[in-house]
């Protein structure tokens, strides 16, 4: 029971719609997310809070695909948590991303999961050092900064991948399957 509610008696709205409940086309099981690489991609987490910590968890689940080798976060607790989980040596733990990015390149990529207004500077510096970047959305707060990041990526022939992680969340995967199945009819705009 959850606060007096019988959880076992609960149904989802989808289960209450006969066409959806009867459909064998709708599956919410998440696909295997292991990249299946020959060697793991080494990454540095810049911003080890909720989002950065979630990306670091991928390395825990799929150690043959990703290895966290460095971390930067102003918060000692978050930095220490990621460092301990991933056995990051002290020389690769930083309070500020500027200190991390003053060091020569030591990983394949960086994950930038800082607050939204702090994406631009670490991204520009990481690209100049030769890192590929997994960048939390939004890319940057201004169009000019977004264009600068694009130019910097081209200049150094680096990848900037922008995270749109909710498209892979079970709820949205199931929603997309319901829409694609036609169970609720044709979608028009």
């Amino acid at each position: 029971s959850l606060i007096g509610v019988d959880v076992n008696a609960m149904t989802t709205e989808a289960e209450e719609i006969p066409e959806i409940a009867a459909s064998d086309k709708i599956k919410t099981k998440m696909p295997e997310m292991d990249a299946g690489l020959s060697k793991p991609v080494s990454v540095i987490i810049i911003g080890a809070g909720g989002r950065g910590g979630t990306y670091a968890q991928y390395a825990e689940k799929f150690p043959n695909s990703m290895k966290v080798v460095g971390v930067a976060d102003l918060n000692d607790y978050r930095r220490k948590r990621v460092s301990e989980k991933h056995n990051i040596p002290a020389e690769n733990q930083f309070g500020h991303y500027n200190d991390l990015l003053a060091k020569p390149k030591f990983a394949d990529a960086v994950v930038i999961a800082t607050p939204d207004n702090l994406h631009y500077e670490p991204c520009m510096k990481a690209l100049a050092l030769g890192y590929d970047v997994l960048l939390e959305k939004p890319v940057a707060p201004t169009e000019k900064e977004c264009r600068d990041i694009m130019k910097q990526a081209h200049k150094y022939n680096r990848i900037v991948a922008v995270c749109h992680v909710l498209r892979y969340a079970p709820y949205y995967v199931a929603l997309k399957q319901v829409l694609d199945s036609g169970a609720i009819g044709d979608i028009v705009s």
Side-chain angles (χ1 to χ4, degrees):
S1 164
L2 177 69
I3 315 175
V5 176
D6 183 1
V7 178
N8 294 324
M10 294 174 65
T11 61
T12 65
E13 290 180 29
E15 291 170 330
E16 294 171 4
I17 302 171
E19 295 82 10
I20 295 174
S23 175
D24 62 352
K25 297 177 186 175
I26 300 168
K27 308 283 185 233
T28 56
K29 185 174 188 263
M30 292 300 293
E32 177 62 39
M33 301 298 281
D34 190 349
L37 304 174
S38 58
K39 79 174 191 87
V41 174
S42 60
V43 302
I44 300 164
I45 304 292
I46 299 178
R51 292 181 280 181
T54 298
Y55 295 118
Q57 286 176 356
Y58 179 86
E60 294 172 46
K61 292 178 184 173
F62 303 106
N64 294 327
S65 294
M66 186 171 115
K67 179 173 177 57
V68 179
V69 298
V71 62
D73 197 293
L74 292 172
N75 182 291
D76 292 335
Y77 171 78
R78 293 190 303 235
R79 184 176 62 252
K80 187 180 285 191
R81 183 188 65 214
V82 169
S83 296
E84 289 173 359
K85 283 186 177 187
H86 298 279
N87 299 312
I88 298 172
E91 64 269 14
N92 291 347
Q93 300 174 34
F94 302 89
H96 197 282
Y97 62 78
N98 280 329
D99 298 326
L100 179 145
L101 296 170
K103 185 174 179 173
K105 183 179 176 194
F106 64 96
D108 299 316
V110 297
V111 173
I112 298 177
T114 53
D116 295 350
N117 63 325
L118 298 175
H119 291 178
Y120 179 75
E121 184 182 15
C123 185
M124 293 294 282
K125 289 180 178 185
L127 291 169
L129 286 169
Y131 289 107
D132 290 319
V133 177
L134 181 64
L135 183 59
E136 250 308 317
K137 63 183 183 333
V139 172
T142 69
E143 180 182 350
K144 179 193 180 311
E145 289 177 347
C146 290
R147 291 184 182 280
D148 289 348
I149 288 171
M150 180 181 67
K151 289 175 189 172
Q152 188 88 325
H154 287 284
K155 177 179 178 180
Y156 291 102
N157 195 30
R158 297 288 87 205
I159 296 168
V160 175
V162 181
C163 302
H164 294 282
V165 295
L166 287 180
R167 73 175 55 181
Y168 302 109
Y171 173 82
Y172 292 101
V173 169
L175 180 61
K176 175 78 167 105
Q177 291 170 343
V178 168
L179 295 174
D180 289 347
S181 76
I184 61 171
D186 294 328
I187 306 300
V188 295
S189 65

